[in-house]
Amino acid sequence: LHPIIKDYCLKCGRPVAPEVEFCPECRKVHREFDRGRGVFLYNNRMRQSLLHYKYYGSREYGEYYAVSICRYMERDIRVWNPDVIIPVPLHRARRRKRGYNQAQILAENLGRLLCIPVDSKSLARRKKTSPQKKLGHNERKKNLKNAFAVTPAFRPVRKVLLVDDIYTTGNTLDAAAKALKEKGVEKVYFLTCLLYTSD
């Protein structure tokens, strides 16, 4: 396993050269989220683990990922001091097919370990988006435009920690952060199990 514990982008957490603050992507793209981290680099071993977690009902992996995130990233989380953890929601059709939201299981385990409330009702995916991995950069942005909405259940907070299983381009987390900030959230951070890099 390759936890990302040093030399990472101060915005998205991707590995960078020592002394470099931001990755090339975050230097040229405006991010809606404020800062985030992924715990493990996406490689073949972790890809298999994630497939089992997402598609084969291995929900217990959510606890392992949460423990790993706390081991390597608790200090960052305590500095961010979020009021609430919000899992990135699945569209109801996808959730119905899969039977559960892997981000929600991860968020609930993190909330329990960190004693931070978890809110799975305030953010909804109102648009059934195509899988991001099949799309080009501009298509990804368009695919996620207005994909998320804050629901009437939302109670205003200053700082939110978004949780998802994998960071690829950041567009999903950006779209979710934008919806939250439009409702008055000041800071949006994120954590993911895996961080994809094309290098």
Side-chain angles (χ1 to χ4, degrees):
L1 298 179
H2 300 283
I4 305 160
I5 51 175
K6 64 175 188 172
D7 301 333
Y8 50 80
C9 173
L10 296 180
K11 198 74 169 172
C12 76
R14 282 183 201 274
V16 292
E19 313 303 320
V20 172
E21 290 192 338
F22 300 104
C23 71
E25 194 70 15
C26 288
R27 282 202 296 270
K28 68 183 182 192
V29 174
H30 168 73
R31 296 293 190 194
E32 297 289 345
F33 58 76
D34 291 274
R35 195 165 179 183
R37 302 276 312 274
V39 66
F40 294 118
L41 277 178
Y42 182 85
N43 58 25
N44 197 48
R45 184 177 173 189
M46 293 309 295
R47 185 177 76 87
Q48 294 301 323
S49 172
L50 191 66
L51 283 173
H52 279 276
Y53 180 47
K54 283 174 83 161
Y55 302 113
Y56 299 107
S58 299
R59 301 182 194 200
E60 69 278 7
Y61 285 28
E63 186 170 359
Y64 165 74
Y65 289 139
V67 168
S68 299
I69 286 172
C70 289
R71 180 181 302 146
Y72 297 112
M73 298 181 182
E74 184 170 0
R75 196 181 62 169
D76 293 67
I77 299 164
R78 297 302 181 197
V79 169
W80 299 341
N81 192 26
D83 299 301
V84 68
I85 297 173
I86 295 182
V88 172
L90 289 176
H91 188 270
R92 61 183 176 274
R94 191 163 287 156
R95 184 183 176 121
R96 198 161 49 237
K97 185 179 176 187
R98 193 174 297 169
Y100 59 96
N101 176 4
Q102 71 282 353
Q104 185 177 338
I105 291 171
L106 179 61
E108 286 167 356
N109 278 291
L110 276 172
R112 181 174 48 77
L113 291 165
L114 297 164
C115 298
I116 299 171
V118 177
D119 177 358
S120 301
K121 297 194 166 32
S122 288
L123 190 64
R125 195 181 287 244
R126 62 183 178 191
K127 192 169 133 186
K128 192 177 178 190
T129 51
S130 305
Q132 289 287 93
K133 62 188 174 190
K134 297 179 179 174
L135 304 173
H137 178 75
N138 289 335
E139 290 173 306
R140 288 178 179 200
K141 282 267 192 214
K142 193 173 169 189
N143 184 41
L144 285 159
K145 191 171 170 60
N146 301 319
F148 297 99
V150 172
T151 73
F154 180 67
R155 295 289 168 266
V157 292
R158 285 183 57 236
K159 294 184 278 189
V160 167
L161 175 59
L162 284 170
V163 167
D164 206 358
D165 52 354
I166 186 167
Y167 180 104
T168 45
T169 61
N171 289 333
T172 299
L173 289 153
D174 261 342
K178 185 172 192 288
L180 289 163
K181 286 191 167 181
E182 284 172 353
K183 293 295 181 181
V185 175
E186 292 172 27
K187 298 278 186 186
V188 178
Y189 305 100
F190 78 81
L191 287 171
T192 61
C193 315
L194 302 183
L195 203 148
Y196 178 84
T197 173
S198 52
D199 300 340

